[in-house]
Amino acid sequence: MMPRILKLALCLVPAMLAVGCASNKQAAYDYTAFKAAKPRSIVVLPPLNDSPEVNAGNSVYAQVTYPLAEAGYYVLPVAVVSETFKQNGLTDAHDIQGVDPKKLSEIFGADAALYMSIARYGSTYTVIDSVSVVSVKAKLVDLKTGTLLWEGAASASSNEGNNNGGGGLIGALVAAAVKQIINSSTDASHPIAGVANSRLLSAGSPNGLLYGPRSERYLAQ
């Protein structure tokens, strides 16, 4: 009886592993619309801020150009975009993101617009640590047709890879208190926002943005 049970168990293990691998494997993104549109230029709209931090929008918005430019796209300067909206009486991100795509195309002449939102931004104090976390989402929309070309999300944290095992409980509590003071007096989340933006908007990552025409890898994807 025991050998039969063992044999059955050995037969089931590969099947269970196959199911586990299948469930953990991320579905491939459908780039059909993206490849058909072939966007060359992008206008990034001011992000929606769903976090309690008032500086989150400016922090994230100021750090979107570099990863997109590195990916091979021409990105309209965010300062110029922001000032253009201001001159037309639009200062709220919700109102700006509500502008008709065709109107955005007329104003900026870009092929696509990037709509961003901030889910988390800021430092959180726990018993033995103070952590800065930034979570962002984005979608790329064709301005001529209004078609969704791509969407994604990314997060970054200040304690990635940290090991709080040394110094004991008292040391951890003191370190957490000091970090919280520093994080509260400075915008510790600003560099974390840069990391989150890079993860979200850099090309070549699984289900990430495709390389743009200014990249040498454009034709190889």
Side-chain angles (χ1 to χ4, degrees):
M1 184 68 177
M2 195 65 182
R4 291 180 61 189
I5 295 175
L6 182 59
K7 184 181 291 187
L8 179 61
L10 291 174
C11 291
L12 288 175
V13 167
M16 293 172 65
L17 289 175
V19 172
C21 292
S23 61
N24 291 331
K25 188 177 180 180
Q26 192 176 17
Y29 194 87
D30 184 359
Y31 291 101
T32 303
F34 200 136
K35 292 180 178 180
K38 298 179 180 179
R40 304 177 63 87
S41 56
I42 297 175
V43 55
V44 184
L45 306 183
L48 302 178
N49 181 19
D50 296 323
S51 80
E53 297 294 331
V54 295
N55 294 326
N58 290 333
S59 176
V60 170
Y61 196 41
Q63 302 181 79
V64 297
T65 302
Y66 181 77
L68 289 173
E70 284 291 296
Y73 297 94
Y74 172 74
V75 187
L76 276 70
V78 295
V80 174
V81 173
S82 182
E83 183 62 25
T84 300
F85 283 122
K86 184 178 180 181
Q87 293 297 324
N88 286 274
L90 293 174
T91 57
D92 181 77
H94 286 85
D95 294 336
I96 291 173
Q97 293 202 13
V99 176
D100 184 81
K102 291 184 179 180
K103 189 65 176 179
L104 293 175
S105 177
E106 293 175 7
I107 296 173
F108 298 105
D111 298 320
L114 189 75
Y115 296 75
M116 298 187 69
S117 63
I118 305 166
R120 295 185 64 185
Y121 185 102
S123 300
T124 302
Y125 179 75
T126 61
V127 176
I128 59 173
D129 202 2
S130 179
V131 183
S132 296
V133 179
V134 177
S135 298
V136 289
K137 297 179 181 180
K139 62 179 182 179
L140 190 68
V141 175
D142 188 316
L143 290 182
K144 294 182 178 64
T145 64
T147 303
L148 175 66
L149 304 180
W150 170 84
E151 60 183 339
S155 296
S157 169
S158 62
N159 72 341
E160 294 176 13
N162 283 0
N163 182 5
N164 297 322
L169 180 59
I170 300 299
L173 290 172
V174 173
V178 172
K179 284 176 64 178
Q180 180 65 14
I181 293 172
I182 296 174
N183 292 346
S184 299
S185 59
T186 62
D187 189 359
S189 297
H190 182 72
I192 308 302
V195 176
N197 277 355
S198 181
R199 289 176 178 172
L200 176 64
L201 303 175
S202 294
S205 59
N207 291 346
L209 279 172
L210 296 178
Y211 286 98
R214 294 170 178 261
S215 170
E216 60 183 12
R217 301 184 64 178
Y218 177 60
L219 298 177
Q221 58 192 351

